[in-house]
Amino acid sequence: MTSGFFYPKTATGESSLIPAPPWHYSGDLLTIEYRTDPDRVRDLLPEPLELAEDDPGAVALIWADWQSCSDSREELLDPVRSQYKEAFVVVRCRYDGTHYSRCVYIWVDKDFAVARGIHQGYPKKFGSIHMTRPHPYGPAPRLEAGARFGATLAAADRRLAQAVVTLREPSDTNGFVNGHPMAHHRTLPSITGDGLALDELIESGAKSFEAGPAWRGEADLELFEAPTEELARLVVREPIAAYFRQLGVVWDGGKVLEKR
């Protein structure tokens, strides 16, 4: 018998790329919301998902600096297994009359994060992600009015996005685009080349959530063309706002909305 939540399967299961959920996250999130052409959002929504009824062109581009672990917390004492960064793009959609958030693009810098994305339905790819970290001492920005944060995203040696965020005031929220349960597809092509062996529309979200104060400001955001990426198609037509928040989340599965 072999064991392990994910590949590779071994007698002990210790080589598994990721442990079994629940997964615990602590992170800094830099969120930039803007409006693009709703038709470009619709292009990224497979059936049976539909555009959101209100503000259908709203987009959130989010940079995150994470520490994550399993229930044992052992990964936190071996930081190469817990620390990673990601940048992801979220839009809103509707299914069966209910509004959901949906991640349409995401880049990460660790293999275990890619593997978790396969399980959760996130379309993860490798990328190079950097963002300014707050700190109460020295030259790093504090969480206060006027603080400035930079963020960059690259993949396959090409710069895809860069931003500078200036905080202005405390906020009651961290934005609205990434504020619903996620509606994702989990798919796997059949080994015979005929259709899909796995085809599910699933809902998932945080089992529990805690967060510090949110800050709101504005962002100078640029998107760039690249041969194998389409982020730049979500053109910035109108800025909405930018946010910074530190939070903790527990993820422990979801439910199937449709299975084909």
Side-chain angles (χ1 to χ4, degrees):
M1 297 292 291
T2 59
S3 61
F5 180 75
F6 204 79
Y7 301 121
K9 303 277 189 173
T10 65
T12 66
E14 293 179 2
S15 295
S16 177
L17 188 51
I18 50 175
W23 299 326
H24 305 259
Y25 302 80
S26 301
D28 295 352
L29 265 64
L30 190 68
T31 301
I32 300 172
E33 293 186 337
Y34 67 92
R35 294 182 177 92
T36 193
D37 182 347
D39 287 340
R40 295 291 174 88
V41 175
R42 183 185 289 109
D43 289 344
L44 295 169
L45 300 178
E47 294 182 350
L49 301 180
E50 302 175 314
L51 282 173
E53 289 181 318
D54 60 307
D55 224 341
V59 176
L61 176 50
I62 304 166
W63 276 265
D65 189 353
W66 292 115
Q67 295 185 87
S68 63
C69 64
S70 60
D71 266 348
S72 71
R73 307 296 202 270
E74 63 188 58
E75 298 90 347
L76 298 176
L77 300 182
D78 189 10
V80 70
R81 298 163 56 199
S82 67
Q83 295 177 1
Y84 72 103
K85 294 187 288 295
E86 67 185 7
F88 56 107
V89 181
V90 177
V91 300
R92 295 161 67 246
C93 60
R94 269 188 308 140
Y95 170 74
D96 197 23
T98 299
H99 278 90
Y100 289 89
S101 300
R102 181 178 177 88
C103 178
V104 294
Y105 298 121
I106 180 168
W107 297 264
V108 299
D109 60 7
K110 289 290 181 67
D111 56 359
F112 62 80
V114 173
R116 285 198 301 227
I118 293 171
H119 180 66
Q120 297 169 308
Y122 282 87
K124 295 190 176 185
K125 301 173 71 173
F126 273 118
S128 175
I129 302 100
H130 297 277
M131 57 186 285
T132 305
R133 295 169 175 161
H135 199 279
Y137 303 105
R142 281 74 163 162
L143 294 181
E144 60 187 9
R148 303 180 77 215
F149 293 78
T152 61
L153 164 65
D157 292 334
R158 273 85 172 190
R159 177 69 59 91
L160 304 181
Q162 62 187 31
V164 174
V165 169
T166 304
L167 303 184
R168 296 301 183 193
E169 59 190 4
S171 173
D172 292 332
T173 74
N174 200 42
F176 70 97
V177 178
N178 194 34
H180 307 281
M182 306 300 280
H184 285 160
H185 281 80
R186 291 176 7 114
T187 61
L188 180 67
S190 171
I191 198 66
T192 64
D194 181 20
L196 296 173
L198 173 66
D199 188 4
E200 293 179 341
L201 174 63
I202 60 103
E203 173 189 321
S204 71
K207 178 183 178 182
S208 64
F209 172 87
E210 58 181 338
W215 280 82
R216 176 186 174 105
E218 69 266 0
D220 179 10
L221 173 64
E222 296 179 86
L223 307 179
F224 305 101
E225 300 279 353
T228 59
E229 304 291 352
E230 300 180 62
L231 174 59
R233 285 177 53 82
L234 297 176
V235 177
V236 180
R237 283 194 167 180
E238 179 186 359
I240 298 176
Y243 303 88
F244 188 97
R245 197 173 203 183
Q246 296 177 309
L247 52 81
V249 176
V250 178
W251 188 92
D252 194 16
K255 67 179 183 180
V256 176
L257 298 175
E258 285 192 14
K259 188 171 185 177
R260 301 179 184 180

